[in-house]
């Protein structure tokens, strides 16, 4: 099992994202994992001077749909999105469909709608692997996803100015 060896809070600040509005879309199917992912994501967003709203969906499969709905919403606009959830392999092929289709859905949104999306859906074999990736003192994948989102927001802002 691979875990982060450096300090998760040692990510460099992302320039040019102060005041950015980020929507965190979380699946709470595994509540303790979701709590850890949220903690890391919110810490990273605040550290960089951005602001976050949060919505909950039933599972990882629903995350791309929720982001698509939010992106099409008139008025309340977000600069970026953070997708957080956990899928643990079970005894059926359901795992493969949920993992593959949620990832594909998010990539399609990022490319086709030009959305800044941080991918923080932890896909693992067991709960121990999920904890190793989610908890902020270990893998901090929530913080990683927020950092990726903010980096893409900064890139989009940079290119809008040129």
């Amino acid at each position: 099992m691979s875990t982060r060896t450096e300090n998760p809070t040692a990510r460099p600040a992302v320039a040019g994202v102060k005041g950015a509005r980020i929507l965190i879309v979380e699946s709470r199917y595994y509540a303790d994992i979701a709590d850890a992912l949220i903690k890391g994501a919110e810490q990273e967003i605040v550290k960089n001077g951005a602001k976050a709203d949060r919505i909950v969906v039933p599972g990882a499969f629903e995350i791309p749909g929720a982001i698509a709905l939010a992106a099409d919403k008139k008025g309340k606009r977000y600069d970026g999105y953070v997708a957080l959830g956990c899928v643990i392999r079970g005894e059926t092929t359901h795992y493969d469909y949920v993992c593959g289709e949620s990832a594909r859905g998010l990539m399609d949104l990022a490319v086709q709608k030009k959305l800044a999306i941080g991918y923080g859906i932890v896909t693992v074999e067991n709960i121990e692997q999920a904890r190793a990736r989610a908890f902020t003192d270990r893998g901090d994948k929530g913080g990683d996803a927020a950092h990726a989102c903010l980096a893409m927001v900064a890139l989009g802002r940079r290119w809008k100015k040129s």
Side-chain angles (χ1 to χ4, degrees):
M1 167 177 25
S2 165
T3 59
R4 175 184 295 213
T5 55
E6 74 274 9
N7 179 353
T9 60
R11 284 182 214 92
V14 180
V17 295
K18 207 171 241 356
R21 295 191 57 197
I22 306 300
L23 178 64
I24 299 171
V25 180
E26 68 165 310
S27 162
R28 293 204 52 82
Y29 196 84
Y30 298 99
D32 62 329
I33 302 303
D35 290 342
L37 291 168
I38 284 293
K39 180 179 177 184
E42 288 180 337
Q43 286 175 348
E44 188 67 19
I45 290 166
V46 169
K47 178 180 99 175
N48 284 282
K51 297 177 179 139
D53 290 334
R54 200 167 121 191
I55 61 168
V56 175
V57 295
F61 194 79
E62 290 77 27
I63 293 172
I67 290 175
L69 289 169
D72 283 343
K73 179 85 173 122
K74 302 290 184 236
K76 192 170 192 177
R77 304 293 299 177
Y78 292 99
D79 298 296
Y81 305 85
V82 178
L84 299 178
C86 178
V87 184
I88 299 176
R89 185 181 300 279
E91 296 176 1
T92 69
T93 58
H94 181 74
Y95 169 90
D96 299 313
Y97 293 107
V98 172
C99 294
E101 293 304 311
S102 61
R104 184 200 51 81
L106 292 170
M107 181 56 73
D108 286 352
L109 286 170
V111 172
Q112 293 169 5
K113 293 192 172 235
K114 299 170 185 67
L115 301 179
I117 300 175
Y119 183 83
I121 301 175
V122 177
T123 56
V124 295
E125 299 295 320
N126 54 55
I127 194 69
E128 293 79 21
Q129 289 178 351
R131 289 185 179 121
R133 285 157 179 77
F135 284 76
T136 56
D137 62 343
R138 295 171 79 186
D140 194 18
K141 294 304 178 191
D144 286 347
H147 191 268
C149 171
L150 293 169
M152 295 305 289
V153 167
L155 191 58
R157 286 181 172 183
R158 176 180 154 201
W159 282 335
K160 273 187 181 169
K161 290 180 183 177
S162 58

